[in-house]
């Protein structure tokens, strides 16, 4: 069997034109694992309300962070693919869950090269319904329809992998080495609380009460909240941070249902009001800088902090296409390949 690799990230609009942004948001927000309400309610919310109000504002936000080469997330992901390809002997293809660089195109590109055994690598450290799970489900749907004989093995969430923690920690350390910050905020993308409870395989562990994520449980295998807090804890330990010098928050909430708290914007506001002058933020739910890191945090977050009296606001870049990160991905591919060779 011929092996191949499919790297998958979130996706991006084709351009900053509101029409392209609207098309992208429609595909993204109509995903039943992103907005997990009945189809009629999702359609009413997305196509009846959001897509009639949000595309113009989102397009303006994308314009602020768009590069000459295109979407930062796409450009960075392409650079990662190129670097990883040079480090392994198998075809490495890039795809996105949403947008033009589709999963269908990615799998077809591998199939056209004769690949019938795929290592699927969602580029998300933590598991979540709206990220990893939707990729796995969509890929399986395509496989059954178009490539029934193709074997697919997916990468497990690597949030607590020692090498990942080391790479992330060293990246933070390197960036903040010369900066005098008082507090390090770990900001993760938010999800509705119901997503956490829906993926509780024990059906009764995830109470989001401040203790469940600290209490060992099988539920943690699919608990996004636990996995986020665990990244914070492990990085804090690696860097030897004082307990009160760092904390965790969640950004990018949508709608009126309760989402994971504390919220990043309110945390930034609170820290500023309390007199904090030097704040650093890292965003470990993302491996590539994108609109959520470049605009929502680096621009909007900084504005909030300054309005509250803060002075220095440092945003730690994502791992992007750094050599240690690309080498880590290559090592995971080689590990998968070696295991397959041992079995065969």
């Amino acid at each position: 069997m011929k092996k191949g690799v499919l790297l998958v990230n979130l996706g991006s609009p084709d351009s900053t034109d509101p029409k392209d942004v609207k098309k992208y948001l429609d595909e993204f927000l109509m995903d039943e694992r992103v907005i997990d309400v009945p189809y009629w309610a999702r359609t009413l919310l997305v196509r009846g309300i959001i897509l009639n109000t949000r595309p113009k504002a989102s397009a303006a936000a994308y314009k602020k962070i768009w590069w000459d080469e295109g979407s930062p997330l796409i450009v960075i992901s392409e650079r990662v693919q190129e670097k990883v390809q040079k480090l392994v002997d198998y075809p490495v293809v890039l795809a996105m869950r949403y947008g033009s660089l589709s999963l269908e195109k990615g799998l077809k590109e591998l199939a056209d090269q004769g690949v019938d055994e795929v290592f699927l690598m969602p580029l998300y450290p933590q598991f979540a319904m709206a990220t990893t799970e939707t990729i796995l489900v969509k890929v399986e749907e395509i496989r059954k329809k178009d490539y029934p004989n193709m074997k697919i093995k997916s990468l497990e969430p690597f949030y607590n992998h020692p090498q990942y923690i080391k790479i992330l920690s060293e990246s933070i350390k390197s960036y903040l080495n010369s900066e005098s910050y008082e507090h390090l905020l770990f900001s993760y993308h938010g999800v509705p609380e119901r997503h956490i409870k829906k993926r509780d395989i024990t059906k009764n562990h995830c109470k989001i009460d401040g203790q469940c994520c600290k209490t060992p449980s099988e539920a943690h295998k699919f608990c996004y909240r636990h996995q986020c807090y665990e990244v914070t804890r492990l990085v804090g330990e690696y860097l030897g941070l004082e307990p009160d010098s760092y904390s965790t928050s969640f950004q990018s909430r949508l709608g009126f249902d309760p989402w994971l708290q504390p919220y990043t914007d309110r945390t930034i506001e609170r820290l500023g009001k309390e007199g904090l002058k030097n704040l650093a933020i890292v965003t470990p739910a993302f491996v590539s800088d994108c609109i959520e890191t470049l605009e929502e945090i680096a621009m909007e977050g900084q504005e909030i902090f300054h309005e509250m009296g803060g002075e220095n606001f440092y945003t730690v870049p994502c791992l992007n296409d750094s050599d240690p990160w690309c080498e880590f991905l290559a090592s995971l591919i080689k590990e998968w390949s070696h295991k397959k060779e041992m079995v065969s």
Side-chain angles (χ1 to χ4, degrees), residues 270-282:
R270 175 181 61 78
L271 290 171
K273 285 182 177 178
E274 290 175 353
L276 192 79
K277 297 301 181 184
N278 305 291
L279 175 64
I281 298 191
V282 62

Side-chain angles (χ1 to χ4, degrees), residues 168-186 232 235-247 271 275-282 305 311-316:
L168 176 60
S169 300
E170 290 294 341
S171 175
I172 295 169
K173 181 179 178 181
S174 173
Y175 183 78
L176 295 177
N177 185 46
S178 61
E179 310 296 355
S180 178
Y181 69 95
E182 301 164 75
H183 192 88
L184 176 60
L185 181 62
F186 290 74
T232 300
V235 171
E237 283 185 359
Y238 184 98
L239 294 176
L241 302 178
E242 293 296 325
D244 60 352
S245 70
Y246 66 102
S247 59
L271 290 171
L276 192 79
K277 297 301 181 184
N278 305 291
L279 175 64
I281 298 191
V282 62
F305 189 59
E311 295 177 0
N312 297 307
F313 187 89
Y314 308 109
T315 52
V316 179

